[in-house]
């Protein structure tokens, strides 16, 4: 799947490939010949200038969002020079906008924000940036580059590509020429859901396949169960199913069990611990999941600290943290489940 996994880093508007970018950071001291020293060790991990990181994420209505906040807290706790100021964001965009306005008035060094909706919170990002407070935008992208200093997110389009490619390869290997493929998406109004579906559609098309029936859920167990119930009724026979999110996948699997269906295989999304364990056990329809790890919140805290302290990253010669980082989406199967188990949420 590596050919479809993407990791992109932007310096200004130029995109370049990146390897292990979130490794040890250096102080970017220069030598007498004016070359940037990128091999001086993990100097940036040492205590430095005190920074206050404001953090805002939607209410934890499912495990992935909860893991985002928990990872941010844990990572902040690794640094003696970081104070994390958590802000209750509530369950909708309006509540989070109000919380961000209050946070801006408190003048933290930098803000890390997972917006309820990137488009609806774009103005809040711009407000912070105009107040001189850098913003690290996490997961749900702001449409305006003026709304953030750094954007770090998973590869939603790449998730769809990975899921569609795995399904296509498995069906081709089984000699299925005209498969019936189902799709259970997340919240359709979110750009990330649209990107996942587009990537899935593109990958399937490369095999000459298409989605027979698609239902949107809401990233919750109940929503997943209802969407799956409706889809299973619409498709009395199915060859493969992609469910965008492993949290709502708990409900999807419950609906499958209730319907006593097992003629198809299923691919999940995000990489929950429960999904990885089920894949390793290999006694049900769930055969793979494609990653969208909440570990990005840990990376966001580390990078926010560097930005606030005016530092760069060890594996790069540039003096500043990049403008955008996109993490790759990997495919977890029975063969590599043990390797990924420790990253499950």
């Amino acid at each position: 799947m590596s050919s479809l996994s993407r990791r992109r880093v932007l310096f200004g508007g130029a995109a370049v490939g990146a390897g292990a970018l979130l490794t040890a950071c250096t102080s970017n001291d220069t030598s007498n010949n004016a070359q940037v020293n990128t091999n001086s060790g993990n100097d940036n991990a040492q205590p430095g200038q005190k920074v206050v990181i404001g953090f805002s994420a939607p209410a934890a209505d499912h495990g992935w969002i909860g893991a985002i906040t928990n990872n941010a807290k844990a990572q902040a706790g690794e640094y003696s020079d970081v104070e994390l100021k958590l802000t209750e964001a509530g369950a909708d965009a309006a509540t989070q906008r109000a919380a961000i306005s209050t946070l801006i008035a408190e003048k933290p060094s930098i803000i890390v924000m997972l917006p309820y909706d990137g488009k609806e919170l774009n103005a809040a990002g711009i407000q912070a940036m105009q107040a001189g407070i850098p913003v690290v935008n996490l997961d749900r992208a702001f449409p305006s580059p003026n709304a953030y200093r750094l954007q770090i997110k998973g590869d939603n389009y790449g998730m769809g590509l990975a899921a569609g490619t795995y399904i296509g390869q498995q069906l081709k290997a089984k000699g299925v020429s005209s498969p019936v493929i189902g799709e259970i998406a997340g919240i359709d109004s979110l750009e990330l859901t649209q990107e996942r579906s587009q990537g899935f559609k593109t990958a399937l098309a490369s095999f000459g396949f298409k989605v027979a029936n698609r239902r949107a859920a809401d990233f919750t167990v109940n929503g997943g169960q209802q969407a799956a119930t409706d889809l299973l009724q619409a498709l009395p026979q199915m060859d493969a199913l992609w469910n965008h999110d492993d949290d709502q996948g708990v409900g999807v699997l419950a609906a499958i069990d209730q319907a006593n269906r097992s003629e198809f295989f299923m691919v999940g999304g995000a990489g929950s611990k429960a999904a990885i364990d089920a894949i390793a056990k290999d006694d049900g329809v769930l055969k793979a999941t494609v990653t969208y790890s909440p570990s990005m919140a840990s990376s966001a805290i580390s990078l926010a600290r560097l930005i606030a302290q005016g530092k760069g990253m060890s594996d790069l010669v540039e003096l500043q943290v990049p403008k955008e980082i996109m993490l790759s989406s990997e495919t977890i199967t029975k063969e590599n489940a043990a390797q990924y188990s420790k990253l499950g949420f």
Side-chain angles (χ1 to χ4, degrees):
M1 303 305 297
S2 60
S3 62
L4 291 176
S5 296
R6 304 184 302 172
R7 180 169 297 192
R8 185 179 62 186
V9 182
L10 298 185
F11 301 99
V16 297
L21 289 177
L22 302 181
T23 56
C25 304
T26 72
S27 61
N28 291 312
D29 293 333
T30 56
S31 63
N32 291 335
N33 61 4
Q35 289 184 326
V36 177
N37 178 8
T38 59
N39 298 300
S40 61
N42 195 12
D43 295 342
N44 277 355
Q46 301 303 315
Q49 172 190 340
K50 177 70 177 292
V51 298
V52 178
I53 301 177
F55 181 83
S56 175
D61 57 357
H62 63 290
W64 191 89
I65 290 287
I68 282 284
T69 299
N70 289 338
N71 284 358
K73 289 180 185 177
Q75 192 68 16
E78 293 293 314
Y79 303 112
S80 61
D81 53 11
V82 168
E83 177 188 343
L84 188 67
K85 186 180 290 291
L86 293 169
T87 301
E88 294 294 333
D92 54 48
T95 305
Q96 189 173 23
R97 269 196 303 270
I100 293 296
S101 292
T102 300
L103 183 59
I104 291 170
E106 295 174 358
K107 300 187 182 303
S109 310
I110 191 166
I111 292 173
V112 175
M113 185 194 326
L114 195 161
Y116 183 85
D117 182 293
K119 293 179 181 178
E120 293 190 40
L121 271 296
N122 186 73
I126 292 176
Q127 179 187 359
M129 292 286 286
Q130 290 179 342
I133 304 170
V135 173
V136 176
N137 173 228
L138 188 61
D139 181 44
R140 299 172 184 177
F142 293 136
S144 171
N146 294 325
Y148 60 89
R149 164 59 183 83
L150 165 66
Q151 183 168 269
I152 177 168
K153 61 180 182 176
D155 189 354
N156 289 292
Y157 185 81
M159 283 183 74
L161 284 176
T165 299
Y166 177 83
I167 287 174
Q169 289 173 339
Q170 296 299 309
L171 293 173
K172 284 291 187 183
K174 294 178 179 180
V176 181
S177 58
S178 299
V180 177
I181 300 171
E183 178 184 2
I184 298 178
I187 300 173
D188 255 347
S189 62
L190 296 179
E191 185 177 7
L192 65 88
T193 298
Q194 298 160 22
E195 290 174 347
R196 292 179 187 185
S197 287
Q198 185 57 51
F200 190 53
K201 179 179 179 181
T202 297
L204 292 180
S206 70
F207 294 92
F209 302 156
K210 62 181 180 180
V211 174
N213 198 289
R214 179 186 183 278
R215 302 294 167 117
D218 57 1
F219 297 136
T220 69
V221 173
N222 289 339
Q225 185 166 4
Q226 184 59 58
T229 298
D230 294 342
L231 184 138
L232 291 168
Q233 290 174 350
L235 299 177
Q237 189 280 329
M238 188 162 52
D239 296 291
L241 170 67
W242 181 38
N243 163 58
H244 286 206
D245 179 78
D246 287 332
D247 282 322
Q248 70 184 24
V250 174
V252 172
L253 289 170
I256 292 170
D257 287 343
Q258 187 174 16
N260 196 27
R261 297 278 293 273
S262 61
E263 80 281 3
F264 59 90
F265 67 92
M266 173 175 150
V267 176
S272 74
K273 184 67 165 58
I276 296 172
D277 289 346
I279 291 165
K281 193 174 181 182
D282 194 25
D283 62 353
V285 298
L286 184 62
K287 301 300 181 184
T289 190
V290 290
T291 61
Y292 196 87
S293 177
S295 64
M296 66 177 73
S298 302
S299 299
I301 294 297
S302 292
L303 295 174
R305 171 179 174 267
L306 294 185
I307 291 170
Q309 293 178 340
K311 298 175 181 177
M313 300 168 65
S314 67
D315 292 336
L316 306 178
V317 298
E318 284 73 19
L319 301 180
Q320 300 293 326
V321 170
K323 176 75 170 176
E324 180 172 333
I325 295 176
M326 180 178 285
L327 307 180
S328 63
S329 184
E330 307 294 341
T331 303
I332 302 174
T333 64
K334 180 181 178 180
E335 287 70 29
N336 63 5
Q339 175 186 349
Y340 283 93
S341 180
K342 63 182 179 292
L343 299 178
F345 58 93

